Amino acid sequence: MRDGLKASYAAPAVEKAFEILEMLRRQPGGALVSEMAVLLGRSVGELFRIVVVLEKMGYLQKSSADDRYSVSYKLLDLAFHATPAQDVVAAARPFMRQLASEAAQSCHLVVVNGAKGLVIHREENPGTRGFSLRLGAEVDLMTSCSGQVLLAFTTEDQRASLLHAIGYEAYASNVARLAAVRKRGYEQRKSAITGGVTDISFPICGRDGFVAAALTIPFLGQIGGSQAAELIAARALLKEAAAATSIALGHRPA
């Protein structure tokens, strides 16, 4: 798990704490301290006190059923309040709530997080049926509808950074598609993971004119078209919500 790099100023306890957090993000069912030790190549004694401290501070939570530890939502809350994501969510929330109600579909907000996309807010379909992504879910920038919008409308500097993270070859194969997304102004595609769902995504732009987030509806069709808004109508509502959020963030379209 460790890359062997030696820093000028070593902080072993801090390093172990982050190793634990990063390892647990890949363990959806959580892990016992003994399992952490095996996965990280460390002893139980090295990790036990750090795990207890992380739990006490609220970054880890322990299952009462089997003593497995998992990462809590405190990290997401910390990231939310320490980054511009807070402004985006505050601006988008009322429009997303209206969108979910009028379209009778769930919607979610995705931002770039490293080489992935991260769901930072969602509004559920107020009706009896719906499909949604969980808060904090990661999405693939290259294969997801939200990811294509984020890549298509980002700055050149950020795109170069993402290229380095995700690999040039993967990006190069999508250059034409991204150009089409920019020209069209949005992306729409059948979900790659869920049958019966069509993803639609529009960019939310900030004051600088570049994308700050992607606002997405995973449109769930119903037999007989009994949903409140058909796909085309839902797309129009989504476009309005994204534009209104952009304006609230200070964006002034040309």
Side-chain angles (χ1 to χ4, degrees):
M1 299 297 293
R2 287 164 286 170
D3 60 12
L5 296 177
K6 294 183 178 179
S8 300
Y9 299 97
V14 175
E15 179 183 349
K16 293 170 190 173
F18 280 105
E19 284 182 1
I20 290 167
L21 293 171
E22 290 177 359
M23 178 272 298
L24 285 175
R25 67 183 285 272
R26 294 185 291 273
Q27 304 295 321
L32 300 169
V33 178
S34 57
E35 293 170 336
M36 296 181 204
V38 172
L39 290 168
L40 295 175
R42 294 188 180 276
S43 69
V44 172
E46 284 183 278
L47 302 182
F48 182 75
R49 288 187 178 182
I50 296 172
V51 169
V52 170
V53 171
L54 288 172
E55 181 189 12
K56 182 178 179 180
M57 295 180 68
Y59 291 104
L60 294 184
Q61 56 191 9
K62 183 169 68 172
S63 169
S64 58
D66 55 14
D67 290 335
R68 290 181 178 274
Y69 288 90
S70 58
V71 179
S72 74
Y73 277 108
K74 184 172 182 178
L75 276 175
L76 184 63
D77 183 67
L78 178 65
F80 170 72
H81 286 94
T83 66
Q86 181 179 16
D87 294 334
V88 177
V89 172
R93 185 180 287 115
F95 303 112
M96 290 178 67
R97 193 168 295 147
Q98 181 179 357
L99 172 63
S101 176
E102 293 182 352
Q105 300 282 337
S106 68
C107 56
H108 56 266
L109 199 60
V110 180
V111 297
V112 172
N113 181 47
K116 297 283 187 178
L118 180 71
V119 177
I120 60 170
H121 186 64
R122 70 175 184 179
E123 290 291 340
E124 299 281 0
N125 172 9
T128 57
R129 297 179 179 85
F131 173 82
S132 63
L133 293 185
R134 65 175 175 81
L135 188 66
E138 286 188 336
V139 300
D140 190 301
L141 293 177
M142 299 308 305
T143 61
S144 70
C145 189
S146 301
Q148 293 288 281
V149 166
L150 291 170
L151 285 173
F153 292 95
T154 192
T155 66
E156 290 296 331
D157 287 345
Q158 189 172 26
R159 187 177 294 116
S161 176
L162 290 169
L163 277 177
H164 178 73
I166 64 181
Y168 177 77
E169 290 185 5
Y171 176 84
S173 64
N174 279 267
V175 169
R177 186 178 187 94
L178 293 177
V181 172
R182 281 193 298 275
K183 183 178 181 179
R184 187 167 53 243
Y186 67 94
E187 175 64 317
Q188 178 178 313
R189 57 169 64 180
K190 294 291 185 181
S191 172
I193 58 175
T194 307
V197 171
T198 299
D199 295 324
I200 322 167
S201 186
F202 278 82
I204 289 175
C205 297
R207 188 182 300 274
D208 59 4
F210 292 106
V211 66
L215 181 57
T216 303
I217 285 180
F219 185 91
L220 180 64
Q222 295 180 19
I223 296 174
S226 58
Q227 57 265 29
E230 298 292 342
L231 189 145
I232 294 176
R235 188 173 68 210
L237 292 169
L238 176 61
K239 180 180 180 180
E240 291 176 6
T245 303
S246 296
I247 291 171
L249 287 171
H251 177 60
R252 294 295 179 263

